[in-house]
Amino acid sequence: MKLSVHDHARRLLVLSLVGLTLLPTPLFACLDEAPVQQEPLELAFLPDRRMPAELPKLDRAELRRARLRGDVIDLTNLMEKEGKTAPRFAKRAEMYAELGQTADAVNDYDAAIELEPKSLAYLDRRVELNYDLGKYEEVEADLTKLIELDATAKRYLDRGNFYHDRWKFDPAIEDYSAAIKLDPNLGEAYAKRAHMRIQRVGGKYRNAPGSVEDLEKGLELDPDQIQPRRDLVLIYISQFKLEDAVKQATAILDKLPDDPCARHYRSKAYRLQKKFDLALEDANKLLQKKPDASKFLVERAKIYEEMGEKEKALADYEKSIGADSKNFATYAQYARHLLNNKKYESAVAAYKKAISLNAFSQGVQSELYAEMANANYWLGELDESERNFAKASELDPTNLFVRYQLADVMFQRKKYDEMIEVFTDALESHPQMPDTYLRRAQIYALQGNFEAGLADADTFISKFKSSSKGYAIRAKILRKKGDAEAAKADEEKVAQLKVKEDAKRLEQKKIEAELRKKYNIPE
């Protein structure tokens, strides 16, 4: 079919609108003259003026909020017209919550609960909202109300978890115990009860009775829990059950391969087992990811130290100081390394820095002063040593060992009256520690006060008739006093008792050897 000139022109126009390149075609044969060969004709693209201008992008979130605000107005009007019911208050509360108006949402749930005070769903939701607002007294009150209405294991567990997060140890333990009584298969309750028992004694894993049993039961019921495994790792390390500690840390790493705490404590357990290659492997993996982590540097330093590589250990301790120069614990570890390696002057400087940075615990401060006093002693700085031991004793009067060390320094300085005062104070605060009587008895004898010395020795013997120590001290005092016959009788008693004590000591060594073998504890 032939196209007219007009048809062909329309085709060109249509094609130009879509931006095509046109070549001469045989259609030009309908013209009077034959077409002349020419370059392809380029037609410019013409914008379609019929296309609408670009609309601005819509903020869908803002549109949603605008609709919600409109819905709130509509619902409020409806409530004014048709009545305020609990479901309507709850519905409007959820609108407020979505708008971020949490306080308004709580107000509406207050109104809903006033109308339906036994609604568990409304109380549960108000707990969530008040928790977001930090209104913990209101949260606790609602959790208690929920228990009154629905005394199930879950309700006690919920309130227990609230106390757990608020570090209210005793109430948490009580609620977890109630939950377990109602449902003995709640693994979470066992694990968290144990954690609260541990925290109640200041995180001292040795002093939390029943915690191991609870943790193991919790894991038996719910093996996917992580926190109970962390607690068990630390308990087993404190009990020197190092194989068990490694197993629990490894179980965590099987689930969470990048968990730094589990790898750190596994490294520590390996070190205590003297499996230094495995300990270093874990420590190095940690430091590959966090090369400036002082805690990991200190652990590797301890590994090197126990391997006898003192220079590497010192380098890691110094690097830990550079990485964390405001952490008292970093300086304390460094100071202990220096003290152990008889670098006493440097140790004193490090202890002073650690003491200046520690503002958290009097107990820790006491330990630091006592350790620094030891460094002073080996430097021959007896005055400083006595002063620092006295400060350590003042900060922690319960530490009897520090008082004994203070008395030892006083002995070197021949301050016998002051020693008597130290031992007398120790007996007043620790009457259950009769060894102090023997220490004081020897100082009385040294001063020539034999009667006082014998009285203290007699007190010790009255409490520990089967111990040779009391008779040995009394025999020495009697000889100094000139009573050879009485001294000889005590010396014979010492010989008899030592036979029994040696036998007990051998038996104890056998038991310790069996325990070391059982738990793979190195010598």
Side-chain angles (χ1 to χ4, degrees), residues 354-359 361-370 392 395:
I355 288 167
S356 71
L357 290 171
N358 174 45
S361 168
Q362 276 196 193
V364 171
Q365 202 81 331
S366 173
E367 290 177 14
L368 296 174
Y369 271 106
L395 288 167

Side-chain angles (χ1 to χ4, degrees), residues 125-388:
R125 184 61 175 133
R126 188 167 68 178
V127 164
E128 294 173 0
L129 294 167
N130 273 325
Y131 205 100
D132 290 341
L133 290 173
K135 292 186 172 183
Y136 300 120
E137 289 183 8
E138 288 83 348
V139 170
E140 183 178 0
D142 276 351
L143 289 170
T144 301
K145 181 68 174 177
L146 284 162
I147 289 174
E148 292 170 1
L149 295 170
D150 182 35
T152 61
K154 179 188 178 303
R155 296 300 178 189
Y156 280 105
L157 180 65
D158 286 344
R159 192 174 66 177
N161 286 340
F162 168 77
Y163 289 136
H164 175 282
D165 294 343
R166 307 302 301 161
W167 287 66
K168 294 185 176 182
F169 308 126
D170 290 331
I173 290 168
E174 289 176 12
D175 275 355
Y176 289 136
S177 298
I180 289 167
K181 187 174 181 180
L182 291 166
D183 183 357
N185 295 315
L186 274 177
E188 181 185 352
Y190 285 102
K192 288 187 173 178
R193 182 171 70 177
H195 191 68
M196 287 289 93
R197 283 173 170 166
I198 292 165
Q199 297 306 319
R200 184 172 59 180
V201 293
K204 296 177 181 177
Y205 287 83
R206 291 176 180 269
N207 303 325
S211 57
V212 172
E213 293 81 1
D214 267 0
L215 292 167
E216 290 175 345
K217 182 67 174 178
L219 285 171
E220 176 190 332
L221 294 168
D222 184 2
D224 291 332
Q225 296 183 91
I226 296 297
Q227 184 57 49
R229 294 191 187 278
R230 296 193 198 285
D231 287 334
L232 279 174
V233 168
L234 294 173
I235 288 173
Y236 288 147
I237 287 176
S238 73
Q239 295 176 344
F240 239 74
K241 295 180 179 179
L242 302 175
E243 283 292 342
D244 291 332
V246 168
K247 286 178 184 176
Q248 291 298 332
T250 302
I252 295 172
L253 290 168
D254 287 342
K255 293 180 180 295
L256 303 171
D258 293 328
D259 188 276
C261 289
R263 195 170 296 282
H264 170 71
Y265 285 110
R266 189 172 72 173
S267 176
K268 181 177 181 178
Y270 281 141
R271 170 173 60 82
L272 293 172
Q273 289 179 299
K274 300 193 182 302
K275 296 181 179 179
F276 299 126
D277 288 345
L278 293 172
L280 271 178
E281 183 181 343
D282 273 345
N284 287 332
K285 282 183 179 179
L286 289 167
L287 288 165
Q288 282 171 5
K289 294 188 175 181
K290 294 187 176 180
D292 293 326
S294 62
K295 188 174 185 178
F296 303 153
L297 285 165
V298 166
E299 179 57 34
R300 190 171 68 179
K302 289 179 180 179
I303 298 167
Y304 284 136
E305 192 170 11
E306 293 186 26
M307 290 173 69
E309 298 191 34
K310 294 182 179 180
E311 292 305 317
K312 288 184 178 180
L314 183 60
D316 271 352
Y317 278 122
E318 290 176 345
K319 190 174 180 182
S320 73
I321 292 292
D324 196 3
S325 60
K326 295 183 179 179
N327 186 344
F328 84 89
T330 306
Y331 276 97
Q333 295 287 358
Y334 180 48
R336 285 165 185 156
H337 171 76
L338 295 168
L339 180 61
N340 290 336
N341 286 278
K342 301 181 181 181
K343 297 183 178 181
Y344 302 121
E345 288 186 11
S346 298
V348 168
Y351 277 119
K352 286 181 178 178
K353 186 66 175 178
I355 288 167
S356 71
L357 290 171
N358 174 45
F360 303 103
S361 168
Q362 276 196 193
V364 171
Q365 202 81 331
S366 173
E367 290 177 14
L368 296 174
Y369 271 106
E371 291 169 18
M372 182 167 64
N374 274 290
N376 294 137
Y377 179 87
W378 290 109
L379 285 169
E381 300 170 351
L382 297 184
D383 187 55
E384 281 294 308
S385 181
E386 181 182 334
R387 187 180 297 111
N388 286 328

Side-chain angles (χ1 to χ4, degrees), residues 74-86:
D74 291 343
L75 182 54
T76 302
N77 290 335
L78 180 67
M79 291 164 72
E80 293 297 330
K81 290 179 182 178
E82 299 185 8
K84 298 175 180 179
T85 64

Side-chain angles (χ1 to χ4, degrees), residues 44-55:
F45 179 83
L46 299 177
D48 188 345
R49 299 185 181 277
R50 294 170 297 176
M51 292 176 63
E54 184 178 354
L55 294 175

